[in-house]
Amino acid sequence: MYLDKLKKSKKIVKDMVINLAGTGISLVVLQLVVYPLVAKMVDSNTYGEMQSAISMVYLIGGTLGGALSTSRLLREYDYNEKNIVADFNFLNILNTIIICIIAPIVFAAYLNKTDMVYILMLTLITVLNCAVNYYSVGFRLKLDYNAILVQKIINCVGYLAGFGLFCLIRRWEIIFITSFLLDTLYCIFKTTLIHEPYGKSGLLYQTVKDYGSLVAARFTSSALTYFDKLILYPLLGGEAVSIYFAANVFGKLVLMAIEPITNVVLSYLSKVKTVTGKIWKVAVPIALITCVAMYFVCLAISGPVLRFLYPQWSEAAMKLIPISTLSLAVSAFINIIYPFTLKAMASYNQILINVTGLATYVISVLALYSGYGLMGCCIAMLISYVVKLISIVILTIWRHQ
């Protein structure tokens, strides 16, 4: 019994390390190689617009594809119990149709652009982002993190190949189209998800209900993650987004690196029905220690990294780092305990928490940006994450003591 538990613990740690390595490779290539090189080849406004547009891509495509992926993980136990394979390909097609309808309208209105080629390329990126978010769940269902590592390497090759094409045609969209396309094709060929039936089962109603709640919860959660760049673009312009992005580059990198850890945890939690109080007592201290360490590491390293990667914006960005990094540390804590909250609370509570955090951010940023500029936006983000964390503690952790 003890040996079985030890072997399982070792496998969980091994999967986390493999998943973290894969995500780390992808983040290093995109955040520390491709983005800085692009920043040197375009002006500040164009770079800021790119960051805002990609944030919108992740908000739409990542929300729909990620929510379907999470729904699959959370519902897999019930489908396996009844020996049913259905519903999810139907929902995946529905996602694609929704994106093709709403994305062109959203991008045209938000960016105030009439260039249809540009709008259609952004829509294609969104469709591919949604697809890879869902199809990659095939690896997590099998707990095959070696395949996920290969997927991330292919993702990196796509970024580099896309950057090569960008140097030739000077359209930054091709970087993401190339990477997401290769990523999606690998997931399709290496998993069996696309070959599953496209029909509907008796479990569809409950799955759609859960999926709808997850979309709402993930949208409001992702909105808080991406709203900084999304709201800064219309308020302060592309150059402000560029400076803000530079100030957050290392903290965001660490925050994104935590995501594979949460994915592994969620994959293993898909095998159990409930999260016990004992699990909370282990998870919370580990999350807290990780995030405190992350904050001080980021403070120490952000300056030199910023001056090396984005020297053109480093002076303005350095003033923002202490507050922006603190808000990212709080966000990282929330992200680490997120898989446990999914199992421990009703979906409507997740939505309530995310809406509270988002509303706090919007109100705070509108109140602070005119008087404090970018610093006001950083303070608003910190306030919103603290409010969100307090909401989680009240609605989840205290109930399991």
Side-chain angles (χ1 to χ4, degrees), residues 170 190 215 217 234 262 280 326 333 365 387 399:
R170 294 302 172 121
K190 294 296 288 185
V215 167
T262 64
W280 278 110
L326 182 57
F333 181 85
V365 80
V387 168
R399 292 186 177 184

Side-chain angles (χ1 to χ4, degrees), residues 361-380:
Y361 174 70
V362 173
I363 293 169
S364 300
V365 80
L366 291 176
L368 295 171
Y369 91 94
S370 58
Y372 299 94
L374 283 173
M375 180 59 77
C377 297
C378 292
I379 294 171

Side-chain angles (χ1 to χ4, degrees), residues 71-223:
S71 178
R72 179 68 185 258
L73 287 171
L74 294 175
R75 296 282 289 156
E76 185 72 1
Y77 185 93
D78 298 322
Y79 277 81
N80 285 341
E81 197 174 44
K82 293 178 170 56
N83 198 28
I84 294 174
V85 181
D87 300 338
F88 289 97
N89 271 343
F90 168 75
L91 292 174
N92 191 37
I93 290 175
L94 188 62
N95 273 349
T96 303
I97 294 170
I98 291 170
I99 290 171
C100 289
I101 293 171
I102 67 169
I105 299 170
V106 170
F107 284 119
Y110 174 69
L111 298 172
N112 194 24
K113 300 286 186 180
T114 56
D115 182 352
M116 285 309 298
V117 174
Y118 184 42
I119 298 301
L120 290 175
M121 289 178 82
L122 290 176
T123 302
L124 176 59
I125 294 170
T126 309
V127 169
L128 291 172
N129 181 251
C130 177
V132 77
N133 264 281
Y134 172 63
Y135 285 124
S136 61
V137 79
F139 300 128
R140 300 213 297 274
L141 289 170
K142 296 178 180 178
L143 302 177
D144 187 358
Y145 288 94
N146 291 319
I148 291 178
L149 177 60
V150 175
Q151 178 200 346
K152 295 300 183 182
I153 293 172
I154 290 172
N155 180 244
C156 293
V157 171
Y159 282 135
L160 295 173
F163 178 74
L165 293 173
F166 163 74
C167 292
L168 295 175
I169 66 174
R170 294 302 172 121
R171 296 202 71 123
W172 61 261
E173 309 93 288
I174 198 66
I175 297 171
F176 296 93
I177 290 174
T178 305
S179 180
F180 291 166
L181 180 60
L182 290 177
D183 211 344
T184 302
L185 289 174
Y186 175 75
C187 291
I188 287 174
F189 288 127
K190 294 296 288 185
T191 70
T192 59
L193 297 188
I194 200 169
H195 302 296
E196 292 178 353
Y198 286 76
K200 294 169 281 186
S201 77
L203 297 177
L204 178 63
Y205 175 77
Q206 185 59 47
T207 298
V208 168
K209 188 177 176 183
D210 292 346
Y211 172 57
S213 297
L214 284 168
V215 167
R218 193 177 179 102
F219 178 83
T220 49
S221 177
S222 298

Side-chain angles (χ1 to χ4, degrees), residues 30 34-36 38-39 42-58 107 111 118 122 166 171-173 175-176 229 233 238 241-242 245 310:
L30 180 62
V34 174
Y35 275 163
V38 172
V42 300
D43 60 69
S44 297
N45 285 323
T46 301
Y47 188 79
E49 181 181 305
M50 178 189 76
Q51 290 296 336
S52 296
I54 287 300
S55 293
M56 187 66 78
V57 167
Y58 292 147
F107 284 119
L111 298 172
Y118 184 42
L122 290 176
F166 163 74
R171 296 202 71 123
W172 61 261
E173 309 93 288
I175 297 171
F176 296 93
K229 292 193 286 289
Y233 183 73
V241 176
S242 298
F245 174 82
Y310 298 103

Side-chain angles (χ1 to χ4, degrees), residues 226-248:
Y226 299 118
F227 241 49
D228 46 5
K229 292 193 286 289
L230 290 173
I231 205 168
L232 279 177
Y233 183 73
L235 287 179
L236 299 174
E239 186 173 1
V241 176
S242 298
I243 294 170
Y244 184 85
F245 174 82
N248 285 277

